[in-house]
Amino acid sequence: MKRYFALLFCATLLFASAFSIVKAQTPSNEASMYASAEAKQNMVSLDVLRFLGFYNLSYTRALTPAISVTAQIETPSNFLIGSIIQETGIGARLEGRYNFSQKNLLGIYVAPVIGFNSSTFRAGSSITGSTGMSASDFSATVSWLALGGMVGWQFGVSPNLPELVLGAGVGVEYNIVNASATTGTAPAGSSVPAGNVTLPRLRFTIGYAF
């Protein structure tokens, strides 16, 4: 776990350095873009990297120039190993962000994160097709509570489209797993959460601010 928190600390320094460099090199004719984007208080966004595991949608509200709250809902996408094991369920995340630049939705932020997921896992199509196993031969219901933190950077892209906000981030989550109602044996090569685990989080978001 210490390794992940060290990574988070280094990432914070990296984001801060990158932001300082970009800010110093920002042409004055782009100031209007940042002023316009800074005036936005609401944003809906998609985490593109999270789509590898979960379809997701987030809403962010800037309460003050420095403080914002983000709520996210998600459901499994099964993009990576869905043919081996199918996951269905729902999850949610809540973040309280502190923005160092105090520009509403723009700039570097740090955020504590709390989340909850509940999923059911069953054998995927490649397993049922090649082994004769039916989807009902294996079932596992798993829920987990996630506690962690993120450091991220959100920035405007075009003076002509101040509503478009991109973001990147890195973080770490400790997942408290509760596995129950398991039937049968998990297919070989599958991955079903079975115990508490600390995992890194990477983020790349596309958002619309208003």
Side-chain angles (χ1 to χ4, degrees):
M1 184 181 295
K2 292 181 179 179
R3 179 172 70 251
Y4 290 122
F5 282 103
L7 175 64
L8 184 61
F9 176 74
C10 293
T12 304
L13 296 180
L14 179 62
F15 274 111
S17 300
F19 179 75
S20 299
I21 293 172
V22 172
K23 184 177 180 181
Q25 295 179 349
T26 300
S28 58
N29 62 359
E30 293 188 5
S32 60
M33 174 187 73
Y34 289 97
S36 179
E38 183 183 341
K40 311 295 184 182
Q41 289 186 294
N42 303 279
M43 183 176 67
V44 291
S45 60
L46 303 174
D47 186 342
V48 179
L49 292 181
R50 189 73 170 165
F51 263 58
L52 294 175
F54 295 88
Y55 297 115
N56 62 87
L57 180 66
S58 296
Y59 169 73
T60 300
R61 169 72 178 182
L63 304 178
T64 72
I67 303 295
S68 62
V69 176
T70 296
Q72 176 181 290
I73 57 173
E74 60 185 27
T75 189
S77 64
N78 293 302
F79 281 154
L80 292 179
I81 59 172
S83 64
I84 298 175
I85 192 157
Q86 280 283 317
E87 179 183 358
T88 58
I90 193 167
R93 293 287 188 279
L94 184 65
E95 298 182 16
R97 298 181 179 180
Y98 177 78
N99 188 324
F100 289 101
S101 62
Q102 300 191 20
K103 294 183 177 180
N104 282 350
L105 304 174
L106 300 181
I108 293 175
Y109 64 86
V110 293
V113 181
I114 183 169
F116 178 80
N117 289 75
S118 180
S119 291
T120 298
F121 297 84
R122 293 184 174 88
S125 58
S126 66
I127 298 298
T128 58
S130 62
T131 66
M133 173 188 287
S134 71
S136 61
D137 288 341
F138 169 73
S139 176
T141 301
V142 181
S143 61
W144 61 96
L145 177 69
L147 303 172
M150 292 287 300
V151 55
W153 177 24
Q154 293 186 154
F155 52 93
V157 178
S158 169
N160 299 319
L161 192 60
E163 294 85 3
L164 179 61
V165 176
L166 300 185
V170 63
V172 60
E173 286 186 355
Y174 179 66
N175 295 273
I176 304 170
V177 176
N178 177 30
S180 62
T182 299
T183 301
T185 303
S190 64
S191 178
V192 178
N196 299 351
V197 61
T198 301
L199 297 172
R201 280 284 306 270
L202 297 176
R203 170 181 291 173
F204 180 77
T205 58
I206 300 175
Y208 178 83
F210 57 96

